[in-house]
Amino acid sequence: MSLIRILPEGLINKIAAGEVVERPSSVVKELMENSIDAGADQIFVTIKNGGKDLISVLDNGKGMAADDAHLAIERHATSKISTTEDLDNINTMGFRGEALAAISAVSKFEMTTCQDEETGGFQIRVEGGKLTHTAKLGFPTGTRISVDNLFFNTPARQKFMKSANTEYNHIHNLIVRLALGRPDIQFRLTHNKAVILNIPKGQDFNQRVQHCFGTEILNDLVECNYEESYLSFTGLISDPAKNRSSKRWQHTFVNDRYVKCNTINHAIYSGYRTLLMKNMHPMFFIKVNLTPKEIDVNVHPTKVEIRLANPNLIHTIFSEQIARILKDKTRQKHLGINHSGIDNDRSGISSVSATGNNQTELKTTGNGSASIDPPNSGIVRIPERPSIFVKTDDQLAFESAKPPSPFSDIQPLTKPLAENEWRTDSNFKVIGQFHNKYILAEGEDQLVLIDQHAAHERIRFEEIRKQFYSRTLTTHALLIPIMMELPPQDGLLLEQNQESWAKLGFIIDHFGGNDYSIKEIPAILKDGDIPQVVREVLDEMAQFGKAGKLEDFFNEVFERMACHSAIRAAQSLSEREMQALLDQLTKLDLHVHCPHGRPVFTEISLDELDKRFKRI
Ligand code: ADP
Ligand code: MG
């Protein structure tokens, strides 16, 4: 007797469903793409509990005849292609003819569809792949598909669904991506009876980006476009000074389909080249048009990955064009046409001085704010320097080091200090500061060089972590709340995670629309760029939704907070400040690396020096 058998159709469909239907958002994606292919210009999505209990997609597309409705739920049944050649010329979102078969195999599925209001519509129900009901009924032209109890007959899959919040976020992001691809269509999302998204039809791309991500993000973008017969693109990319700390704001569309394409991504990064600071990422929303035969979307059932016929050529075009656009943009800025984008440099390091007729000079201060002064005006804005100290016994000494006089930086470092001022727990004695960046110190038998930012970051990191886990995080109520606008996705994340925010020492209230008011912050961040910290914590939260342990999430957040509360490179420090920094550093167990894993200090031994000077 043969051991091998052909599986029954129902089982095949269940297995195949695993590839197309991974989670509620994949169902929403397939149904909405069908609506787009049916020529709808209104698509209404209704979900319950993140789509776990109900997903319903209603469109005003062309609908189906009764016969076709029956065929549509069969495997490999499609109206979109018929020959092998058609595969090279895909102009629709779908073409594999699998989705409805797969979805109806693993849910309680109902489809109501109508081609012509006058003659009426048709309804079928399928439960776990079995047809249970058909009927004629009145229905407007279009189609509605409802999916109840997804995975009810595949318990293993059901277990893998994440929380309703997580599934909901996936659906929200998906709809935004589809909406960006097709600004001509109206999209509406209702979740648990509340209308969450209502994006009108007939917008242009910029309006759509603004609608979906908020005005603040739109303001940080510059337009880009390029047109040639082979390839054209239009869209928005970030002003290099407004890059973000995560890749969340990167969207590529090829022929209106949201795709992930490593070649294009990489080319865009290389277009930014030197303009990209470490750990920062450009935002981009790019719509590419390519003749269909240049791309293969049939790489994976979900069709998000694509393959390019000529990746090298496309890479070259993109990186050159992006570089050109950014260069034009930067030139405009230097000529004083547009100063946006230079006031938020968190490195605190850059100093740009443009030459030319209309000369301006940009001074970037230690705490990350920049001021533009005409040359030779004699006015220099003194930065309010963030205190680098936590409360220690030596607090008084620190206080006196705080208000910087314009001349404090040029005090001779060799200024003799009273004997008792040198007495510390530290093994290191400060010699001086090099390039406002490194502290030179004397150890027992070695010369020690300390990266002041990395060292302070490490100190702050440990401090925040300790306060957090011992629940002694001190917060600072703001007399005047800081207002900030958030993209709707982030507003949602913020509201879903209020508890974590409170634990981290933030109180942030919804103010109205996309605006939020920050009322309380961790005291340690008093001098930091608060909106930037908030944005970065949100980036971490979005990341955490996908995978990860809560502890890792908090560690990432502490790192970011530490970075923002630490003294900068390019900040001149008094001798007392340097000594205090070293004292604190030597009290830590883990002081060899900064939280990012960069070394905090390096040393040259006396032996080594003696060798260099040929003494031994
Ligand atoms: P594919 O989209 O790859 O063709 P599907 O299983 O998603 O496969 O759909 C099968 C067929 O059902 C489609 O080719 C289309 O003819 C029809 N169909 C599905 N959804 C709709 C809809 N919302 N409006 C009109 N026709 C639809
Ligand atoms: Mg389809």
Side-chain angles (χ1 to χ4, degrees):
M1 231 187 57
S2 170
L3 292 177
I4 298 175
R5 63 193 137 253
I6 307 275
L7 297 174
E9 182 80 2
L11 183 52
I12 293 175
N13 281 345
K14 260 193 182 180
I15 293 171
E19 276 183 56
V20 191
V21 189
E22 199 194 332
R23 61 193 326 160
S25 68
S26 7
V27 173
V28 180
K29 174 173 187 284
E30 293 299 334
L31 298 181
M32 291 178 74
E33 289 189 346
N34 281 345
S35 300
I36 292 173
D37 286 342
D41 68 358
Q42 288 182 314
I43 303 177
F44 295 167
V45 181
T46 305
I47 56 173
K48 263 194 221 157
N49 283 336
K52 288 157 88 170
D53 294 346
L54 172 78
I55 295 167
S56 162
V57 175
L58 169 69
D59 68 52
N60 66 346
K62 63 178 191 262
M64 281 169 266
D67 290 353
D68 279 347
H70 273 115
L71 272 175
I73 53 168
E74 297 293 324
R75 264 192 105 199
H76 310 302
T78 180
S79 57
K80 298 169 194 173
I81 57 171
S82 54
T83 66
T84 315
E85 289 74 56
D86 290 345
L87 257 193
D88 293 332
N89 193 20
I90 302 285
N91 288 306
T92 48
M93 308 291 276
F95 56 87
R96 297 170 57 112
E98 305 180 299
L100 296 189
I103 295 166
S104 59
V106 292
S107 68
K108 299 181 179 171
F109 176 97
E110 181 189 272
M111 173 158 78
T112 313
T113 186
C114 170
Q115 277 188 317
D116 178 2
E117 244 169 87
E118 308 281 286
T119 53
F122 183 75
Q123 185 172 64
I124 62 178
R125 289 196 197 124
V126 180
E127 247 179 61
K130 287 192 194 71
L131 188 68
T132 57
H133 160 94
T134 58
K136 282 187 136 192
L137 77 176
F139 198 73
T141 306
T143 302
R144 185 185 64 209
I145 293 180
S146 305
V147 175
D148 266 306
N149 294 328
L150 183 64
F151 300 137
F152 81 100
N153 56 347
T154 51
R157 292 237 134 225
Q158 201 169 30
K159 269 216 300 273
F160 279 106
M161 281 201 279
K162 294 277 185 332
S163 70
N165 264 350
T166 303
E167 299 299 346
Y168 167 74
N169 289 351
H170 279 283
I171 293 171
H172 186 121
N173 292 341
L174 164 84
I175 295 179
V176 165
R177 288 199 291 264
L178 287 169
L180 286 171
R182 292 294 301 268
D184 52 320
I185 299 177
Q186 179 193 358
F187 293 90
R188 200 171 74 186
L189 169 65
T190 310
H191 185 212
N192 295 342
K193 299 203 168 145
V195 177
I196 308 284
L197 285 173
N198 194 357
I199 315 177
K201 64 178 162 191
Q203 291 186 318
D204 66 27
F205 189 61
N206 290 13
Q207 289 168 328
R208 194 118 292 186
V209 169
Q210 177 174 18
H211 194 110
C212 295
F213 297 94
T215 310
E216 198 193 273
I217 281 191
L218 185 73
N219 288 342
D220 291 350
L221 299 166
V222 292
E223 284 184 24
C224 65
N225 49 65
Y226 171 77
E227 195 162 351
E228 232 194 57
S229 57
Y230 177 70
L231 174 149
S232 66
F233 67 81
T234 64
L236 299 157
I237 58 177
S238 53
D239 179 327
K242 302 290 178 124
N243 289 333
R244 294 295 202 265
S245 63
S246 99
K247 300 181 182 170
R248 290 168 66 209
W249 317 109
Q250 302 183 344
H251 289 73
T252 310
F253 302 85
V254 174
N255 299 347
D256 296 339
R257 184 194 302 277
Y258 172 83
V259 297
K260 293 216 163 92
C261 178
N262 288 338
T263 305
I264 296 176
N265 269 23
H266 187 272
I268 293 174
Y269 272 79
S270 73
Y272 275 81
R273 267 171 222 135
T274 53
L275 299 170
L276 211 52
M277 262 166 49
K278 218 174 96 222
N279 297 327
M280 296 299 272
H281 303 276
M283 299 191 272
F284 52 83
F285 302 85
I286 295 220
K287 304 193 78 171
V288 186
N289 278 310
L290 258 175
T291 42
K293 70 174 186 345
E294 288 291 328
I295 53 174
D296 180 4
V297 291
N298 197 15
V299 183
H300 188 264
T302 59
K303 294 163 285 191
V304 173
E305 263 171 67
I306 57 165
R307 236 179 257 137
L308 300 169
N310 288 299
N312 290 343
L313 178 61
I314 289 178
H315 190 282
T316 309
I317 295 177
F318 263 99
S319 68
E320 277 176 7
Q321 291 307 315
I322 298 291
R324 170 188 63 84
I325 291 154
L326 293 173
K327 204 165 128 207
D328 291 351
K329 172 77 189 162
T330 330
R331 191 177 303 131
Q332 282 175 8
K333 215 164 22 185
H334 283 185
L335 292 173
I337 296 170
N338 176 2
H339 281 134
S340 80
I342 44 178
D343 55 350
N344 200 16
D345 185 328
R346 61 191 274 273
S347 74
I349 302 169
S350 76
S351 76
V352 181
S353 60
T355 45
N357 299 339
N358 187 5
Q359 194 182 24
T360 57
E361 197 177 349
L362 167 66
K363 296 191 188 67
T364 304
T365 59
N367 62 359
S369 61
S371 54
I372 299 162
D373 289 322
N376 310 324
S377 72
I379 303 168
V380 178
R381 210 189 289 164
I382 309 293
E384 206 200 295
R385 191 194 301 183
S387 158
I388 66 167
F389 308 107
V390 287
K391 286 188 179 171
T392 70
D393 299 337
D394 303 329
Q395 200 178 3
L396 263 183
F398 303 153
E399 301 287 50
S400 68
K402 220 186 149 190
S405 98
F407 306 107
S408 65
D409 296 339
I410 47 171
Q411 274 172 4
L413 282 170
T414 48
K415 187 187 82 167
L417 283 178
E419 177 68 16
N420 62 348
E421 282 184 276
W422 283 116
R423 279 195 39 79
T424 68
D425 303 346
S426 160
N427 311 320
F428 303 134
K429 197 171 86 183
V430 169
I431 300 171
Q433 194 184 18
F434 179 62
H435 261 245
N436 286 348
K437 199 166 167 189
Y438 298 106
I439 300 171
L440 308 188
E442 182 183 330
E444 233 161 78
D445 287 314
Q446 74 274 54
L447 175 65
V448 186
L449 294 112
I450 297 116
D451 179 326
Q452 67 189 43
H453 176 70
H456 196 221
E457 205 174 29
R458 173 43 90 182
I459 293 166
R460 280 287 159 96
F461 177 76
E462 295 302 335
E463 194 183 336
I464 296 168
R465 189 154 69 169
K466 201 169 115 207
Q467 287 188 11
F468 181 81
Y469 286 113
S470 62
R471 293 170 198 271
T472 55
L473 199 89
T474 33
T475 59
H476 175 78
L478 296 166
L479 278 179
I480 303 163
I482 300 173
M483 298 297 296
M484 79 180 287
E485 195 206 275
L486 289 175
Q489 296 80 340
D490 277 356
L492 199 77
L493 266 178
L494 193 123
E495 280 160 36
Q496 286 172 352
N497 293 284
Q498 282 296 2
E499 216 177 292
S500 297
W501 284 97
K503 271 195 206 152
L504 288 166
F506 287 91
I507 294 180
I508 306 177
D509 288 343
H510 188 206
F511 191 77
N514 291 339
D515 293 329
Y516 289 80
S517 77
I518 306 171
K519 297 194 164 147
E520 208 166 300
I521 56 170
I524 225 160
L525 287 172
K526 257 191 356 248
D527 300 296
D529 177 349
I530 303 298
Q532 182 60 25
V533 179
V534 169
R535 272 193 289 271
E536 291 184 17
V537 175
L538 284 163
D539 285 341
E540 290 300 338
M541 272 177 180
Q543 191 72 19
F544 174 70
K546 292 207 185 96
K549 288 189 296 185
L550 199 60
E551 197 190 330
D552 294 342
F553 160 73
F554 280 119
N555 274 342
E556 293 287 338
V557 171
F558 301 153
E559 279 174 24
R560 291 176 183 275
M561 285 167 59
C563 180
H564 282 282
S565 68
I567 46 162
R568 299 283 158 200
Q571 181 170 338
S572 135
L573 301 174
S574 74
E575 212 162 324
R576 280 168 205 269
E577 288 175 311
M578 289 191 270
Q579 191 64 53
L581 189 73
L582 295 193
D583 294 350
Q584 291 175 34
L585 190 65
T586 47
K587 279 184 201 138
L588 298 176
D589 300 334
L590 289 162
H591 58 272
V592 189
H593 296 287
C594 79
H596 303 304
R598 279 192 293 122
V600 165
F601 65 79
T602 180
E603 38 187 48
I604 306 173
S605 69
L606 191 57
D607 271 359
E608 162 86 28
L609 278 176
D610 284 344
K611 269 186 211 146
R612 288 204 193 179
F613 288 103
K614 311 275 182 234
R615 284 177 173 273
I616 48 173

